Every structure is written in structure tokens, then in C-alpha cells.
Amino acid sequence: MAGAVAAVLGLLLLLGSPGGSTGPPRDSLREELLLSPLPSGDLAATFQFRARWDSELHREGVSHYRLFPKALGQLISKYLVRELHLSLTQGFWRTRTWGQPYLQAPAGAELWVWFQDSVTDVDKAWKELSNILSGIFCASLNFIDSTNTVTPTASFKPLGLANVTDHHLLRYAVLPREVVCTENLTPWKKLLPCGSKAGLAVLLKAERLFHTSYHSQAVHIRPICRDASCLSVSWELRQTLTVVFDTFSIGQGKRDWSLFKMFSRTVTEACPLASESKIYVDISSKTQENKLLEVTPLPLSVHEASVQGDRRTYAVYDLLSPSLFNVSRSLNVQLKWKRPQDSLDLSTPVLHAQRYVSGYGLQTGEISTLIYNTHPYRAFPVILLETVPWYLRLYVHTLVITTKGKENKPSYIHYQPAQDRRRPHLLEMLIQLPANSVTKITIQFERALLKWTEYTPDPNHGFYVSPSVLSALVPSVIAMKAEDAEQSPLFTSLFPSSDGSSYFVRLYTEPLLVNLPTPDFSMPYNVICLTCTVVAVCYGSFYNLLTRTFHVEEPSKGGLAKRLANIIRKVRGVPPL
């Protein structure tokens, strides 16, 4: 009996390891939470869960999945995906108020995918892939079609290990009207190895996450180097979630924070499958003597990193450290402000932008984009991507770019005109931003008249236009050192810096809401009602006359009483009635 039990345990151990080997596991999991006080007094919480798998999904016949989700692994293998990036966002990141984001995403749903060069029909694979992702994440990604899909040539380069020059393998689409709700969060949490039962994922309470000013959840899949020699490839899955808690709605006007106040829960343990589980709290200050934040309990260690061109200091709580839960069974990190922030502590982002629609009437209009470079002495180029629906017909000859009152000619421009009901406009430009300047980009358009079947159920609400995308290498204030991606925090390694003098930034502007010429949809209702009334009255009368049968009634001979009266009158000799 004991021998049989040992044999069964040995078989389970053999099957429990990836690929059926008894060696070290080929996959690993890291989870991380970053708490960042924002200049406006709000607080941003960024969750990152990274699953790394040392496997060649396109070459190996993978049948056993341990930490990497099977649904996504089979998706990559079947459709030969090189990179996949999906984000679902509710709200807009206010760059001027909240500062530079670590991971920004546009409002609504965004999907961009790089395919392998062995894919024969990219458009077909793109359509099938978006439909499957729509089912996995319970989103409206099935509405992605040729009318909202573009192929950028300069933006959205691969973030992973790839040397791709053929931009025809890239597809990009945005659904700015997509509404994010709990039905999207639930399947996202089910992809985590521990679900929402252990680790940092226990804080993901939908009731608290959606009662925020900004909510963004994303999935990033890319190939990375397995080691320093980069002879083998590993697959990385990053699940990120960023929320911004408002001071007045959550903190009741107070700027002191805690995990329980934000999430109504505390952390009790790390995910048992995670090799690293940490909480980072941004406690940076301009001087060591002028610290603004007080964190309790005292952190076990402090980490300094160069993030977005600035040196930041973070208090670190390692959930895998046995000494962290010696005093209490749960961890409730609290942040208290020693003194209010003054205007000197507020920093303006080096790069930010805004976008709006101007004009009057429902025939023509103008799209204006303002790009700000607040660096005092450094100029740098930026790639601007504009995606405009086909029903806004752009006049490219009206494109004007001005900086400090002078014309600013782009170094590179790529324009793909739209086709009615087939594809949108695509405009990409490489623009040089002088130091301490504001660059204004304007282009005029004409509104098209849609067919009555192409209007949405609420046409007077307006039609959304996808936000502009800005990609730039922003000059750094300090010299940044190259750090090992495996040793550095997760929030610093998704967009690694190319050198020590600049860092990569991708920003999105606001989505636009444009009114189109809309017919009065109440008039058909009135016409139908009037027509039906006239038809019912007229046709009913004629039908009644045509189908009615007329009978001529003869005068009756009288009843029984009359006959009896006539008999009596006859007996009496009186004339009958």
C-alpha cells in the first residue's frame, strides 16, 4: 500500500512540472503594487503581475500550462502572434494634474498586435483574433473591423525581442466608446495564477476599483531574452491595472491613505506561486530634510530608481519576508502627510498634449492638437499618430503646424486617405519640438451625411474620434543607469530606456465627440402614425361598404294578437285592421 502511494505521488510530481521534467520550473510569477501620491493630492495604485515562461510556443508542442494562461497560450500558437497589447480604460489620465503616467492607455478599448511573418492573411487573422479576445474579456472587440483599423508605419514598434521592419504585420484599433465594467474585470482576474484568493489580487475588489477617477486594465504579451546571451526566447505576460483614488470621494477630503481605506481589505499573504511579491510606496522628496510623507509600518528596505528621467525613492514591503507578518497577521500600509504640499513641490510634465474640435455648424470643422515641451533647454522630436473616421473628410491641404508663431515643417509625414465605409484616415508625422514651446497642429474637415441605417441608437449624443498618440524619447533630467530587468521593479522595465540620457514616453490625448448632420428621427414616427390613421379610417369605411350585405325587409302580416283581433272584429261584423 505504501509503495502504491509513493508511486502515485511520484507520478503527480512528474506531471506537475512543465513539460514533464523534474528539473526547476520553467515559469515564474512576480506580483507588485505601486502606490504613488499624485501632485493633486490623489493617489494612484498600479498593480502588475508578470508571468514568464521559458518556452517556444511557436515551435514546441505545448500541452501543459502551469502559470501561463492556457487560453492566451493557445491563442498565440494558433494565430502566430508575435506581440499582443490590449487595454480597457474608463476615464482619462490628466497628465498636467497627475504627472507623467507609468502606463497610459486611451479611453475605451485599445488593441494592437504584431504577427509573425509566416502569417499569410493578416487581416483574417486580425479579425478572428479580435473576436476571440472579445469572448475572453467580455468586451465589444468584435466591433473592430476595417473601418477602425489602421497599420501605422512609425508608431507602435515592438516592445519585446523583435527585429521587425515590415509594418504590414501590425494592426492597431481603438474603440473609444467602450465602457469598462465588472464583466471585464472578472475574466481578467481569472487569468492570474492565484486568481483573487491570495496575494495582492485580494485587493482587487470591484466595488472599490470602479469608484475611482481613472481605471485601466491591460494585458501585454511579448517575447523576451531568456538570459544575457539572448540565445533563447521566453514569453512574458504582464497584467497591469491602474486606478486613481479621488481625495474627496474616497478620502472624505483627507489626504491620508491606507490600504483598507482604498480597497476595504488588507494583505494577509503573498501568492504561494509567486517568486516575488512586493509593495512599493513612492516617498520621494526634493531634499532629505524636507520629507512630505510618513509611511507606517516602517518599511523593511528602501529602493532608489531612475524613473521617467527623475530619481525616485520607494519604501519596499516584501510579502515573502517572514518578519513582515510577525507583529500582525495582515499588512495595512498607511500614508500620512507631514505638511501640505506647496507650489514648489508640484512639477510640470516635460511632455503633455491636449486636443479639441472647433468651428460652428454641422458642415465643416477643425481639429486642433496642442503639444507642450516644457524642458527649459532641450528640443526633441515626437511622432504624432492621428486616426480619424471616414465620415470626417479631412482637407490635407489645410494642415498647419506652428511653433512660436512660425511654421514647423515635419521631418516625416505619412498619410493614408480614407475610403467611405472601408477604412479611416491615417496621418503620421515626425515633428521637432523646440525647448519650452507649444506646437499647434490644425487640420480642417467636412462632415459626411450617413445613411439612416448607419446612425447609432442615440445619434444626438455624437460620434467619437480616437485620441491622438504621441511617442517620443524625452530628455532625462538626470543620468539614468542601465539596470537588469529581472532585478528592477516591474513598473520601470516595460519601456526600457535606450540610453542614459532619454526615456520613452507614449501619451494619448482626449477622445473627441463630434456631432454629425442628423435627420429628425421623430418625423418618420409622426408620418407613420398619421398615415396609419388615414388608412385605417378610409380603408375601413370602404371595406365596410364593399363587404356589407343589404336586405329589403317586407312588412310583416302581424302577430298573434292582431289575428285574434281581426277574428273578433269579423264576428262582430267590423272591418278588419
Side-chain angles (χ1 to χ4, degrees):
M1 185 65 180
V5 172
V8 171
L9 291 177
L11 181 60
L12 292 176
L13 290 175
L14 181 63
L15 294 177
S17 59
S21 61
T22 58
R26 299 169 57 188
D27 51 1
S28 60
L29 173 67
R30 293 175 60 185
E31 59 177 5
E32 175 183 297
L33 169 60
L34 171 64
L35 301 177
S36 305
L38 301 178
S40 61
D42 303 328
L43 186 75
T46 303
F47 294 84
Q48 290 208 39
F49 304 88
R50 193 198 78 159
R52 172 178 170 173
W53 194 8
D54 298 339
S55 174
E56 291 282 355
L57 292 178
H58 294 150
R59 299 178 182 178
E60 302 176 4
V62 180
S63 59
H64 179 72
Y65 293 80
R66 180 172 173 262
L67 300 180
F68 203 93
K70 185 177 181 179
L72 299 181
Q74 292 178 341
L75 202 65
I76 295 173
S77 302
K78 181 177 180 180
Y79 294 101
L80 300 177
V81 175
R82 187 188 301 271
E83 279 194 23
L84 186 148
H85 304 271
L86 170 65
S87 65
L88 301 171
T89 306
Q90 185 74 22
F92 176 72
W93 183 275
R94 306 164 192 168
T95 307
R96 300 189 64 178
T97 307
W98 295 342
Q100 207 78 261
Y102 293 102
L103 299 171
Q104 189 184 3
E110 180 195 43
L111 176 64
W112 57 286
V113 179
W114 278 94
F115 292 94
Q116 298 281 349
D117 51 7
S118 57
V119 178
T120 56
D121 192 348
V122 178
D123 293 329
K124 180 181 178 181
W126 166 255
K127 183 62 178 178
E128 295 180 358
L129 179 65
S130 59
N131 289 334
I132 294 177
L133 291 175
S134 176
I136 293 177
F137 294 98
C138 296
S140 303
L141 301 177
N142 55 311
F143 286 97
I144 294 179
D145 52 15
S146 61
T147 61
N148 48 35
T149 300
V150 295
T151 302
T153 59
S155 305
F156 296 99
K157 295 300 182 182
L159 299 180
L161 178 64
N163 187 15
V164 183
T165 57
D166 188 3
H167 63 272
H168 296 288
L169 302 174
L170 170 65
R171 292 295 182 272
Y172 173 77
V174 176
L175 299 176
R177 196 171 182 174
E178 180 71 14
V179 179
V180 185
C181 194
T182 54
E183 61 185 9
N184 309 116
L185 179 64
T186 301
W188 184 90
K189 292 193 294 185
K190 289 183 178 180
L191 298 177
L192 299 174
C194 290
S196 58
K197 305 299 181 182
L200 297 176
V202 299
L203 301 176
L204 302 178
K205 188 177 181 181
E207 179 183 355
R208 309 296 292 181
L209 293 180
F210 288 100
H211 193 57
T212 54
S213 302
Y214 177 82
H215 173 97
S216 178
Q217 60 188 61
V219 173
H220 304 278
I221 303 176
R222 62 176 182 175
I224 59 174
C225 293
R226 189 171 300 183
D227 49 24
S229 60
C230 203
L231 299 177
S232 302
V233 177
S234 299
W235 283 92
E236 179 191 72
L237 166 64
R238 290 205 186 197
Q239 295 181 243
T240 65
L241 189 144
T242 304
V243 290
V244 176
F245 292 93
D246 184 75
T247 306
F248 296 97
S249 61
I250 302 296
Q252 298 177 356
K254 299 180 180 179
R255 303 184 65 183
D256 297 338
W257 300 91
S258 67
L259 290 181
F260 186 80
K261 181 184 291 187
M262 292 183 293
F263 304 103
S264 297
R265 293 175 180 174
T266 57
V267 180
T268 57
E269 61 175 348
C271 176
L273 300 176
S275 60
E276 181 179 312
S277 180
K278 294 181 179 181
I279 297 179
Y280 292 86
V281 182
D282 192 351
I283 56 174
S284 305
S285 60
K286 292 190 176 182
T287 60
Q288 294 293 333
E289 297 80 9
N290 195 19
K291 292 184 178 180
L292 300 175
L293 278 174
E294 179 182 353
V295 184
T296 56
L298 294 177
L300 301 178
S301 61
V302 176
H303 178 76
E304 293 186 357
S306 300
V307 181
Q308 295 180 343
D310 194 8
R311 193 170 303 280
R312 314 295 296 180
T313 304
Y314 301 93
V316 184
Y317 298 89
D318 190 356
L319 301 184
L320 297 179
S321 177
S323 59
L324 186 62
F325 297 100
N326 286 340
V327 180
S328 176
R329 294 184 179 180
S330 63
L331 175 63
N332 184 25
V333 180
Q334 299 180 7
L335 293 80
K336 294 183 179 180
W337 291 87
K338 293 183 178 180
R339 62 175 180 83
Q341 280 184 306
D342 52 22
S343 59
L344 298 178
D345 299 323
L346 304 179
S347 58
T348 304
V350 177
L351 176 65
H352 59 277
Q354 66 181 42
R355 191 178 183 214
Y356 58 90
V357 176
S358 59
Y360 57 90
L362 294 178
Q363 182 178 2
T364 60
E366 187 178 75
I367 298 178
S368 301
T369 305
L370 299 178
I371 305 177
Y372 298 84
N373 176 16
T374 61
H375 201 286
Y377 54 88
R378 289 286 299 274
F380 57 90
V382 62
I383 298 178
L384 175 65
L385 171 65
E386 293 273 4
T387 305
V388 182
W390 63 267
Y391 45 77
L392 298 182
R393 292 162 180 168
L394 297 181
Y395 295 149
V396 186
H397 69 279
T398 63
L399 177 64
V400 178
I401 305 175
T402 56
T403 304
K404 295 182 179 180
K406 299 181 181 180
E407 183 181 1
N408 188 347
K409 293 185 178 180
S411 306
Y412 167 81
I413 184 169
H414 169 71
Y415 175 67
Q416 182 182 24
Q419 294 181 358
D420 287 358
R421 300 172 180 86
R422 290 188 179 182
R423 72 183 184 190
H425 300 270
L426 173 62
L427 179 62
E428 283 185 289
M429 296 180 291
L430 179 63
I431 305 172
Q432 188 74 16
L433 303 181
N436 197 16
S437 64
V438 179
T439 301
K440 184 176 182 180
I441 305 165
T442 60
I443 186 170
Q444 297 179 10
F445 64 89
E446 180 183 2
R447 296 172 170 89
L449 183 62
L450 304 180
K451 299 179 181 179
W452 72 274
T453 56
E454 295 174 341
Y455 286 92
T456 57
D458 52 346
N460 293 304
H461 177 76
F463 292 80
Y464 285 90
V465 180
S466 303
S468 301
V469 186
L470 300 175
S471 305
L473 286 175
V474 180
S476 175
V477 179
I478 61 173
M480 298 185 297
K481 298 180 181 179
E483 298 182 2
D484 186 8
E486 295 299 322
Q487 303 298 328
S488 59
L490 295 178
F491 58 86
T492 63
S493 56
L494 183 61
F495 299 119
S497 59
S498 58
D499 52 16
S501 61
S502 61
Y503 59 95
F504 180 78
V505 171
R506 178 174 291 146
L507 296 179
Y508 298 86
T509 62
E510 305 91 339
L512 301 179
L513 188 61
V514 180
N515 290 324
L516 295 182
T518 305
D520 187 1
F521 286 100
S522 65
M523 287 306 297
Y525 172 77
N526 299 334
V527 171
I528 290 173
C529 292
L530 180 61
T531 305
C532 291
T533 303
V534 173
V535 168
V537 173
C538 298
Y539 178 76
S541 302
F542 282 111
Y543 182 81
N544 190 18
L545 293 174
L546 293 174
T547 59
R548 179 178 296 178
T549 303
F550 296 92
H551 299 279
V552 178
E553 295 185 359
E554 297 180 358
S556 60
K557 296 181 180 181
L560 179 60
K562 186 177 181 181
R563 287 187 298 221
L564 291 176
N566 289 334
I567 292 174
I568 296 173
R569 292 174 69 87
K570 184 177 180 182
V571 173
R572 296 175 58 185
V574 179
L577 297 174

